[in-house]
Amino acid sequence: MSTRRNNREHAQRYLDGLQGHPFPNSEKLYLTGSRDDLRVGMREVTLTPSVIGGDRANPITRDNDPIPVYDTAGPYSDPASDIDVRAGLAPLRRQWILERGDTTELASVSSDYTQQRLADAGFDHLRFEQLPNPRKAKAGANVSQLHYARNGVITPEMEYVAIRENLGRERLRNEILTQAQPGQSFGANLPERITAEFVRSEVAAGRAIIPVNINHPEAEPMIIGRNFLVKVNANIGNSSVSSSIEEEVEKLVWSCRWGADTVMDLSTGRHIHETREWIIRNSPVPIGTVPIYQALEKVNGIAEDLTWPIFRDTLIEQAEQGVDYFTIHAGVLLRYVPMTAERVTGIVSRGGSIMAKWCLSHHKENFLYEHFEAICELCAQYDVALSLGDGMRPGSVADANDRAQFAELETLGELTKIAWKHDVQTIIEGPGHVPMQLIKVNMDKQLQECFEAPFYTLGPQITDIAPGYDHFTSGIGAAMIGWYGCAMLCYVTPKEHLGLPDKEDVKQGLIAYKIAAHAADIAKGHPGAQIRDNALSLARFEFRWEDQFNLSLDPETARAYHDASLPQESAKVAHFCSMCGPKFCSMKITQEVRDYAAKNGSGDPLAQVIELQDDTEIVKGMAQQSEAFRQQGGQLYHALSDEDELESQS
Amino acid sequence: MSTRRNNREHAQRYLDGLQGHPFPNSEKLYLTGSRDDLRVGMREVTLTPSVIGGDRANPITRDNDPIPVYDTAGPYSDPASDIDVRAGLAPLRRQWILERGDTTELASVSSDYTQQRLADAGFDHLRFEQLPNPRKAKAGANVSQLHYARNGVITPEMEYVAIRENLGRERLRNEILTQAQPGQSFGANLPERITAEFVRSEVAAGRAIIPVNINHPEAEPMIIGRNFLVKVNANIGNSSVSSSIEEEVEKLVWSCRWGADTVMDLSTGRHIHETREWIIRNSPVPIGTVPIYQALEKVNGIAEDLTWPIFRDTLIEQAEQGVDYFTIHAGVLLRYVPMTAERVTGIVSRGGSIMAKWCLSHHKENFLYEHFEAICELCAQYDVALSLGDGMRPGSVADANDRAQFAELETLGELTKIAWKHDVQTIIEGPGHVPMQLIKVNMDKQLQECFEAPFYTLGPQITDIAPGYDHFTSGIGAAMIGWYGCAMLCYVTPKEHLGLPDKEDVKQGLIAYKIAAHAADIAKGHPGAQIRDNALSLARFEFRWEDQFNLSLDPETARAYHDASLPQESAKVAHFCSMCGPKFCSMKITQEVRDYAAKNGSGDPLAQVIELQDDTEIVKGMAQQSEAFRQQGGQLYHALSDEDELESQS
């Protein structure tokens, strides 16, 4: 018990002291769109100048462009923000929602359960106090971004997304930064510049979603689709055996800081309702849930006691709190359940197993499938997106791509068409555990069966032999499927299969998945994806250590690792590093190659050498070149005096 | 200085206390070949029995097959071994070498440098005391495994390798274990069972090497080739600014424990010669070096002062110590150097930059290229394999696959033919930094240009934005290129680009790369690769927590992560875990599905349900099924009493 209390108290202190703070040497930047209240937050990493000549006393320098970085932290990375987790974040989208005039503010919540819960003073100590009144579509109205998009309306959310995806790249001046390797897009359509109209058209086609419940106006709009940057989801949530509300809110803030594009609250404990309220009110990113988890709590964990009315009330409860997307396991059909009997690991999806049990117990078809149209009607009234759950996903590489998995995927395609009929934004969940050679067929089949609705996969994990490292075993699969076309990658933490993730696990999971998503962007040929790589590589080559740290996904760790070998401040401006030491350094030698090439001819340096070799007086020429190089080489090992200094210190 | 002294003392204590110890619940196992002294070490993970019926008081159990695991730790994982790092390991191959009768024991070392070094009492305190006399081929003899293979000789080393690669898989009884997903081999030839003759034929064809210097009889034979298990190399080695001999020997032992198939000693500091002796004498795995590093030390770090005689003496020095393979940057040609001038990160290979500088300085062709035949002649006398270094490898994704890189690769193909002419075993080094979409062309081009000589790559790293996590950014690329056909993956540690790895970094790098190599084996369809995955997945499904931990690549970490959430001993036999809690558990529910399917029909469970649904009395049938399931469901939440117990404890 003491550990749990300590964790809670630690989280409480963290939240009390919370204020917006950027990453090292980063500035929060807002690009304003067509209206003053459309301000798209991002961060810029400020770089030190490059030394391009002169000497140590009087260096000649060239300024380096600040590098824009996609920022999921919202107000939490802005020092100008007032953060008060008891008040929640500012509702940046409220005015946009109000202006559309298609919603009404409800006098009270519609869910029976919420009403009972609010009336129970026993939960007062847990409750988020400043509860907003929920909104709902006016009778007959559909308030989804898909509905607007299909009607040709470009919403502020769409414009926001377009600006956000472009990152203001046109402001970069150094051409080396925007050079990129050719991508292999596997059919993705990646325009050089994202326009609001492109966003609208992609949403209208169902190829992308903007998950923005009208009751979560605090969220910054973002987009999930194959033709945009690959996104990452972080799962948080307490269970009946671990963690508190404070810890979950701390994990939310932490997740956003480390790059979660959306967060799923998978709580299964006693205070799901109250935990969720705290999370949503403080979240700058869309929040997803699996409503069946809470519905199961309401029937005391007895799956066969689940009913459609209880589930429906749960959807309303959560929609009016502001959940942005629901995972619904409507594709777990009765006839698919026995297909899992021969598997090595059976059904591993919690939602899938609950529905499988319900189906077998009643020997009836899945009630989520039977009531799917009603679910869609409800989602359209709040703009809750649907994430069609893969209850039959494989739980081991042995079970990958079997008929249970693919049968369900086909049903998810059928459900996608129904959701789209109701203008409900839809994404499709995918596996799970899949060895490398079987990943691509998952992507291809999903695109085909689900009509290019965005794919959202958990990993996939490519081997089962490394519990404790499954952020990595799954991060490999995630990078690959992101390249092949997956729109969002659900992270896995090092604790997967073993325990619930703590804060450090959340960070490790997110960094693994930011790497996977970014690598996928580069591989697809996403315009601008390589800018940060180029900037960091240039900094590395020029021994701008501070810039190399600050451009990293995790500046603190990069700096700490460097300092573990060379803790002296002087080492951060040294023109060598601990790997090779000062005696020789490949980067330094390359600079000499470059200087040599520059001084010995203005043309193609290759041609110059070939020319020399072709010379009839080749021996003489070589001797001359050699002498010239030696004369330039007086300062070859620039840092020799630094070396002695360092060695005497260490 | 105090940190350095502490590290040294820590390493000293570690080495003093060293004794063979297996992984948890593992036993060291030796399979004997055609002669009594051909005993192939591996480890077996012993599993607990499965509960298949009965009740808690009288469970009915079924034994589980122990799972064989490839073991690189040699005597260090055998409790029966006497380990004394001052004496070195037992020379298990000495008799085989002697029996061939094609070598002679030298009265003294051949290298001038070694002779001087041995005569200098100033190094006595650093020296490995029990120096063996070196051996060398008799005049005119070629003692390479490639030479024997081409002459139709199956050596004990070849037989050893065959037994080692098969892992005694035929002893497994449970058929589920050997089920495997279909692989995609990209042309690899992966026989169900490796024979010694197959090993010979692959070595003879140059498609595989067995790096076994006659002066390193302590090493256990292993094979590097596309048609065998993918291997992993760990780099260790001190530099002028860090680490001691004790620390490097500790890292060697540690590397073998965590799965290094070979170890490269990349030391660049003052005591390279003595450090290497300690490493080789204590290494059960082949040792590689980059001799130019030491040659450079001998000319005080001035690259242009390097000469062929100095380099040649260094090769002899190292060959007589027992280095199993040399990285030689003979493909860095003068005309290629200027091709790097326009790169973002120029030349990043240390060896490559040294040779580039030498070439430019003298404006002569690379002396390693000019004297390549002499290098081969020397290697053939000791059976040192060649690893043709990629001095022009890219140092950033921006520079991948450029003309400098591929021009050098073509030259490495030319050098491969020369090495093969001398029956010298040869592998080819590869990049580096390559984005995902450009990896496959590297593999394909290498196979073509170098006539299927084994490829040995560093990563490749697929993005540059995550210093501090480059074991992961490169592990992704390593998994992919391993799948495509790369034979050995050179690990990268979290400290890459930032500092020198410590022991924990070595472990993290190795685990990342063991995952990559293993995932590649599965993806290629290597027979037996999926056994450990299947065994672990079965253990997971059956809540055999101890087995799940013990089958993991890192049992201690898996156990620690589990215990962080559920520290009670009872939780390790609990039929639930902290992720879902005891209220519902997908694995438990799956078991119910399975039991249900088993009890309600002996045929195809799918057919049974479909049949029911097709029944004209379908409603009645469903009601019956439902009732039957409810009756079976009395014990649905098996662990409810455990739950209360756990909650009261926590």
Side-chain angles (χ1 to χ4, degrees):
Chain A
M1 185 56 107
S2 62
T3 305
R4 294 182 63 180
R5 189 179 298 126
N6 285 347
N7 288 346
R8 181 171 301 176
E9 285 169 4
H10 178 278
Q12 190 61 59
R13 276 197 305 277
Y14 175 82
L15 296 175
D16 287 343
L18 201 61
Q19 56 183 16
H21 66 296
F23 278 79
N25 250 42
S26 290
E27 290 186 14
K28 189 82 184 189
L29 173 79
Y30 294 92
L31 297 183
T32 304
S34 63
R35 43 189 292 168
D36 287 346
D37 68 349
L38 202 162
R39 297 171 66 239
V40 183
M42 51 195 70
R43 74 176 165 105
E44 260 188 356
V45 184
T46 307
L47 304 184
T48 60
S50 295
V51 176
I52 55 170
D55 54 29
R56 197 174 292 197
N58 295 296
I60 303 168
T61 63
R62 185 193 61 225
D63 285 347
N64 281 303
D65 292 333
I67 302 300
V69 175
Y70 193 102
D71 187 8
T72 56
Y76 299 113
S77 62
D78 186 351
S81 300
D82 288 324
I83 309 284
D84 176 2
V85 292
R86 277 161 203 80
L89 301 178
L92 75 104
R93 291 174 50 242
R94 176 172 290 161
Q95 188 57 31
W96 310 344
I97 295 162
L98 294 178
E99 283 177 13
R100 288 195 275 263
D102 52 4
T103 58
T104 50
E105 184 172 314
L106 301 176
S108 67
V109 295
S110 313
S111 151
D112 295 338
Y113 178 84
T114 310
Q115 287 176 8
Q116 291 162 24
R117 198 82 176 175
L118 289 173
D120 188 337
F123 297 109
D124 282 353
H125 67 292
L126 297 169
R127 223 176 315 269
F128 185 86
E129 284 178 21
Q130 303 181 30
L131 283 174
N133 281 342
R135 299 193 74 82
K136 184 180 173 181
K138 286 179 176 167
N142 184 317
V143 299
S144 82
Q145 295 288 319
L146 175 52
H147 186 73
Y148 304 139
R150 284 183 167 173
N151 285 290
V153 176
I154 294 177
T155 61
E157 286 86 347
M158 296 172 196
E159 184 186 349
Y160 188 105
V161 159
I163 295 169
R164 195 171 193 184
E165 293 275 323
N166 288 323
L167 284 173
R169 283 198 305 273
E170 68 282 1
R171 295 169 309 137
L172 294 169
R173 293 159 305 166
N174 183 348
E175 284 181 10
I176 295 176
L177 292 175
T178 50
Q179 284 174 8
Q181 296 277 8
Q184 181 176 4
S185 72
F186 296 111
N189 172 22
L190 304 166
E192 184 57 33
R193 188 171 168 75
I194 303 288
T195 63
E197 168 53 24
F198 181 74
V199 172
R200 186 205 62 74
S201 67
E202 288 292 300
V203 172
R207 277 193 298 268
I209 71 162
I210 303 175
V212 277
N213 185 327
I214 55 172
N215 289 311
H216 188 196
E218 301 90 346
E220 298 181 342
M222 54 76 71
I223 195 161
I224 302 166
R226 180 161 69 116
N227 298 330
F228 301 91
L229 292 163
V230 175
K231 303 304 188 296
V232 168
N233 172 71
N235 291 335
I236 61 172
N238 59 359
S239 85
S240 63
V241 292
S242 181
S243 70
S244 65
I245 290 179
E246 290 85 348
E247 286 171 75
E248 294 315 309
V249 176
E250 184 187 14
K251 278 186 212 159
L252 164 78
V253 174
W254 189 244
S255 298
C256 296
R257 178 164 181 83
W258 290 107
D261 292 287
T262 76
V263 167
M264 289 195 80
D265 172 16
L266 302 185
S267 295
T268 57
R270 295 195 185 93
H271 307 121
I272 298 184
H273 179 88
E274 291 71 25
T275 304
R276 185 187 310 119
E277 189 75 39
W278 281 92
I279 287 174
I280 293 172
R281 298 285 73 81
N282 286 291
S283 178
V285 303
I287 297 295
T289 62
V290 187
I292 202 79
Y293 293 175
Q294 188 183 10
L296 190 70
E297 297 278 338
K298 292 177 182 176
V299 294
N300 301 311
I302 314 296
E304 46 273 47
D305 290 352
L306 284 165
T307 64
W308 164 241
I310 288 170
F311 187 78
R312 183 174 182 278
D313 190 71
T314 305
L315 294 184
I316 295 169
E317 170 197 348
Q318 298 196 6
E320 293 191 357
Q321 283 186 304
V323 171
D324 299 288
Y325 62 94
F326 290 150
T327 291
I328 305 279
H329 295 92
V332 178
L333 301 191
L334 176 60
R335 65 178 180 277
Y336 299 159
V337 176
M339 293 178 182
T340 64
E342 301 299 313
R343 282 178 160 184
V344 170
T345 48
I347 300 175
V348 296
S349 153
R350 281 192 282 181
S353 60
I354 294 164
M355 293 319 301
K357 185 162 184 177
W358 190 93
C359 291
L360 285 189
S361 179
H362 295 278
H363 224 275
K364 284 186 182 157
E365 193 49 276
N366 182 334
F367 67 83
L368 302 174
Y369 180 81
E370 298 287 335
H371 293 278
F372 191 70
E373 300 243 9
I375 293 170
C376 292
E377 286 165 13
L378 201 147
C379 288
Q381 296 176 325
Y382 302 94
D383 199 9
V384 180
L386 284 177
S387 183
L388 299 179
D390 55 336
M392 296 291 168
R393 69 169 176 266
S396 54
V397 299
D399 293 341
N401 294 15
D402 70 354
R403 56 180 180 162
Q405 182 195 333
F406 284 153
E408 182 188 35
L409 182 59
E410 289 158 21
T411 298
L412 300 186
E414 177 196 327
L415 295 169
T416 301
K417 280 196 286 193
I418 296 172
W420 284 351
K421 190 179 76 184
H422 292 272
D423 287 355
V424 169
Q425 303 190 90
T426 304
I427 58 179
I428 312 295
E429 295 185 12
H433 295 237
V434 184
M436 285 193 287
Q437 80 277 20
L438 302 183
I439 292 176
K440 187 146 193 306
V441 71
N442 273 275
M443 189 67 231
D444 294 345
K445 192 168 171 64
Q446 187 274 338
L447 287 172
Q448 185 189 338
E449 297 290 342
C450 301
F451 319 103
E452 297 193 89
F455 206 20
Y456 167 32
T457 62
L458 179 69
Q461 192 174 316
I462 59 167
T463 170
D464 299 322
I465 69 166
Y469 299 83
D470 283 335
H471 59 315
F472 180 45
T473 63
S474 65
I476 297 173
M480 293 173 72
I481 204 162
W483 171 26
Y484 299 153
C486 185
M488 184 156 78
L489 310 171
C490 182
Y491 88 164
V492 165
T493 78
K495 291 268 173 66
E496 183 78 10
H497 301 113
L498 298 168
L500 279 175
D502 62 19
K503 226 174 112 175
E504 180 59 22
D505 297 318
V506 166
K507 176 181 166 184
Q508 291 300 319
L510 273 165
I511 287 180
Y513 273 68
K514 292 307 273 189
I515 289 169
H518 180 78
D521 289 336
I522 290 177
K524 288 164 74 175
H526 191 101
Q530 208 183 296
I531 290 171
R532 191 172 179 180
D533 296 72
N534 294 347
L536 195 145
S537 295
L538 279 170
R540 180 174 286 159
F541 181 71
E542 295 177 355
F543 291 99
R544 288 185 274 116
W545 287 101
E546 293 286 344
D547 294 347
Q548 191 185 160
F549 305 150
N550 295 334
L551 284 163
S552 168
L553 280 182
D554 183 357
E556 289 92 341
T557 297
R559 176 184 301 271
Y561 283 0
H562 175 268
D563 289 359
S565 295
L566 291 175
Q568 303 83 357
E569 266 311 299
S570 62
K572 294 194 197 64
V573 293
H575 277 204
F576 64 90
C577 54
S578 61
M579 285 81 80
C580 298
K583 278 275 181 62
F584 60 89
C585 165
S586 59
M587 296 261 181
K588 187 81 187 69
I589 290 171
T590 299
Q591 188 55 50
E592 293 164 15
V593 170
R594 194 173 292 183
D595 294 346
Y596 172 79
K599 283 186 187 171
N600 289 281
S602 57
D604 179 354
L606 174 65
Q608 172 211 338
V609 171
I610 291 172
E611 191 183 305
L612 256 173
Q613 292 180 323
D614 290 345
D615 200 301
T616 49
E617 292 191 306
I618 189 163
V619 176
K620 185 180 161 202
M622 282 195 175
Q624 284 171 350
Q625 293 290 322
S626 169
E627 181 55 27
F629 185 75
R630 284 176 186 275
Q631 285 177 2
Q632 294 162 27
Q635 284 201 314
L636 286 187
Y637 293 102
H638 184 77
L640 272 173
S641 59
D642 284 348
E643 172 196 15
D644 299 334
E645 193 181 321
L646 277 163
E647 294 230 335
S648 64
Q649 286 173 13
S650 61
Chain B
M1 186 57 105
S2 63
T3 304
R4 294 181 64 180
R5 189 178 299 127
N6 285 344
N7 289 346
R8 181 171 301 177
E9 285 170 3
H10 178 277
Q12 190 61 59
R13 274 197 305 277
Y14 176 82
L15 296 175
D16 286 343
L18 201 61
Q19 56 183 16
H21 66 296
F23 278 79
N25 249 43
S26 289
E27 290 185 15
K28 189 82 183 188
L29 173 78
Y30 294 91
L31 296 183
T32 304
S34 62
R35 45 190 289 168
D36 287 346
D37 68 349
L38 204 162
R39 296 170 67 238
V40 183
M42 50 196 71
R43 73 175 166 106
E44 260 188 354
V45 184
T46 308
L47 304 185
T48 60
S50 297
V51 176
I52 55 170
D55 53 30
R56 196 172 293 197
N58 296 296
I60 303 168
T61 62
R62 185 193 61 227
D63 285 347
N64 282 301
D65 292 335
I67 302 300
V69 175
Y70 193 102
D71 187 8
T72 56
Y76 298 113
S77 62
D78 186 351
S81 301
D82 287 325
I83 309 285
D84 175 2
V85 294
R86 275 159 205 81
L89 301 179
L92 75 103
R93 291 174 49 242
R94 175 172 292 162
Q95 188 57 32
W96 311 344
I97 295 162
L98 294 178
E99 282 177 13
R100 287 194 276 262
D102 51 5
T103 58
T104 51
E105 184 173 314
L106 301 177
S108 66
V109 295
S110 315
S111 151
D112 295 339
Y113 178 85
T114 308
Q115 287 176 6
Q116 292 163 23
R117 198 81 177 176
L118 289 173
D120 189 336
F123 297 109
D124 282 353
H125 68 292
L126 296 169
R127 225 179 310 272
F128 184 86
E129 284 177 19
Q130 304 181 28
L131 283 176
N133 281 343
R135 301 192 74 81
K136 185 179 172 182
K138 286 180 177 167
N142 185 316
V143 299
S144 82
Q145 295 287 320
L146 175 52
H147 186 72
Y148 303 140
R150 284 183 168 173
N151 285 292
V153 176
I154 294 176
T155 62
E157 287 85 347
M158 295 171 196
E159 184 187 349
Y160 189 105
V161 158
I163 295 169
R164 195 170 193 184
E165 293 275 323
N166 288 323
L167 283 172
R169 282 198 306 273
E170 68 281 1
R171 295 169 308 136
L172 293 169
R173 294 159 305 164
N174 184 348
E175 285 181 7
I176 295 176
L177 292 174
T178 49
Q179 285 174 7
Q181 295 279 6
Q184 182 176 5
S185 71
F186 296 110
N189 172 21
L190 304 165
E192 184 59 31
R193 188 170 169 75
I194 304 288
T195 62
E197 167 55 23
F198 181 75
V199 171
R200 189 206 59 76
S201 67
E202 288 292 300
V203 171
R207 278 193 298 267
I209 71 164
I210 302 175
V212 277
N213 186 325
I214 55 172
N215 290 311
H216 188 196
E218 300 90 345
E220 298 181 342
M222 53 78 69
I223 194 161
I224 302 167
R226 182 160 68 117
N227 298 330
F228 300 92
L229 292 163
V230 175
K231 303 303 189 295
V232 168
N233 171 70
N235 291 335
I236 61 173
N238 59 357
S239 86
S240 63
V241 292
S242 181
S243 70
S244 65
I245 290 179
E246 291 85 348
E247 285 170 78
E248 294 315 309
V249 176
E250 184 187 16
K251 278 187 214 162
L252 164 78
V253 174
W254 189 245
S255 298
C256 296
R257 178 163 181 84
W258 291 106
D261 292 287
T262 77
V263 166
M264 289 196 79
D265 172 15
L266 302 185
S267 294
T268 58
R270 294 194 185 94
H271 308 121
I272 298 183
H273 179 87
E274 290 72 25
T275 304
R276 186 187 311 118
E277 190 73 38
W278 280 92
I279 287 174
I280 292 172
R281 298 283 74 81
N282 286 290
S283 178
V285 304
I287 297 295
T289 61
V290 187
I292 202 80
Y293 293 176
Q294 187 183 10
L296 190 70
E297 297 278 338
K298 293 177 181 175
V299 295
N300 301 311
I302 313 297
E304 46 272 49
D305 290 352
L306 283 165
T307 64
W308 165 241
I310 289 172
F311 186 79
R312 182 173 181 278
D313 191 71
T314 305
L315 294 185
I316 294 169
E317 170 196 349
Q318 299 196 6
E320 293 190 357
Q321 283 187 303
V323 170
D324 300 287
Y325 62 94
F326 289 151
T327 292
I328 305 278
H329 296 92
V332 177
L333 301 191
L334 176 60
R335 64 179 182 276
Y336 299 159
V337 176
M339 293 179 183
T340 64
E342 301 297 314
R343 281 179 161 184
V344 170
T345 47
I347 300 175
V348 296
S349 153
R350 282 191 282 179
S353 60
I354 293 164
M355 294 320 301
K357 185 163 183 175
W358 190 93
C359 291
L360 285 188
S361 178
H362 296 278
H363 224 273
K364 283 188 183 155
E365 193 49 276
N366 183 335
F367 67 82
L368 302 174
Y369 180 81
E370 298 287 335
H371 294 276
F372 191 71
E373 300 242 11
I375 293 171
C376 293
E377 286 164 13
L378 201 147
C379 287
Q381 295 175 327
Y382 302 94
D383 197 9
V384 180
L386 284 176
S387 183
L388 299 179
D390 55 335
M392 296 292 170
R393 68 167 177 269
S396 54
V397 298
D399 293 341
N401 293 17
D402 69 354
R403 55 179 179 162
Q405 182 195 333
F406 283 153
E408 182 188 37
L409 181 60
E410 289 158 20
T411 299
L412 299 188
E414 176 196 328
L415 296 169
T416 301
K417 279 195 288 193
I418 296 171
W420 284 352
K421 192 179 74 184
H422 293 270
D423 287 353
V424 170
Q425 304 191 90
T426 304
I427 58 178
I428 312 295
E429 295 186 11
H433 294 236
V434 183
M436 284 193 287
Q437 80 277 20
L438 303 183
I439 291 176
K440 187 146 193 309
V441 71
N442 274 274
M443 189 66 232
D444 294 344
K445 193 169 171 62
Q446 188 274 338
L447 287 173
Q448 185 189 338
E449 298 291 343
C450 301
F451 319 101
E452 298 193 88
F455 205 20
Y456 168 31
T457 63
L458 179 68
Q461 191 173 316
I462 59 167
T463 170
D464 300 322
I465 68 166
Y469 299 84
D470 284 335
H471 59 316
F472 180 45
T473 63
S474 65
I476 297 173
M480 293 172 71
I481 204 161
W483 172 24
Y484 299 152
C486 185
M488 185 158 76
L489 309 171
C490 181
Y491 89 164
V492 166
T493 79
K495 290 268 171 65
E496 183 78 12
H497 301 112
L498 297 168
L500 279 175
D502 61 19
K503 223 173 112 175
E504 179 60 21
D505 297 319
V506 166
K507 176 181 166 184
Q508 292 300 318
L510 272 165
I511 288 180
Y513 273 68
K514 293 306 273 189
I515 289 169
H518 179 78
D521 289 334
I522 290 178
K524 288 164 76 175
H526 191 100
Q530 207 182 297
I531 290 170
R532 191 171 179 179
D533 296 72
N534 294 347
L536 195 145
S537 296
L538 279 170
R540 182 174 284 158
F541 181 71
E542 295 177 355
F543 291 99
R544 288 185 274 119
W545 287 101
E546 293 287 345
D547 294 347
Q548 191 184 160
F549 304 151
N550 295 334
L551 284 163
S552 168
L553 280 181
D554 182 359
E556 290 91 341
T557 297
R559 176 185 301 271
Y561 283 179
H562 175 267
D563 289 358
S565 295
L566 291 174
Q568 302 83 359
E569 266 312 299
S570 62
K572 293 194 198 62
V573 292
H575 277 205
F576 64 91
C577 53
S578 60
M579 287 81 82
C580 300
K583 277 274 182 62
F584 59 90
C585 164
S586 58
M587 297 261 181
K588 187 81 188 65
I589 290 171
T590 300
Q591 189 53 50
E592 293 163 14
V593 170
R594 195 173 289 184
D595 293 346
Y596 173 79
K599 283 187 188 171
N600 288 280
S602 57
D604 179 354
L606 174 64
Q608 173 212 339
V609 171
I610 290 171
E611 190 184 307
L612 255 175
Q613 292 179 325
D614 290 346
D615 200 302
T616 49
E617 291 192 308
I618 187 162
V619 176
K620 187 179 160 203
M622 282 194 173
Q624 285 170 351
Q625 293 292 321
S626 167
E627 183 55 27
F629 186 75
R630 282 176 188 273
Q631 284 178 4
Q632 293 162 24
Q635 286 201 313
L636 287 186
Y637 294 100
H638 184 77
L640 272 173
S641 59
D642 284 347
E643 170 197 16
D644 298 334
E645 192 182 320
L646 276 163
E647 295 229 332
S648 64
Q649 285 172 15
S650 61

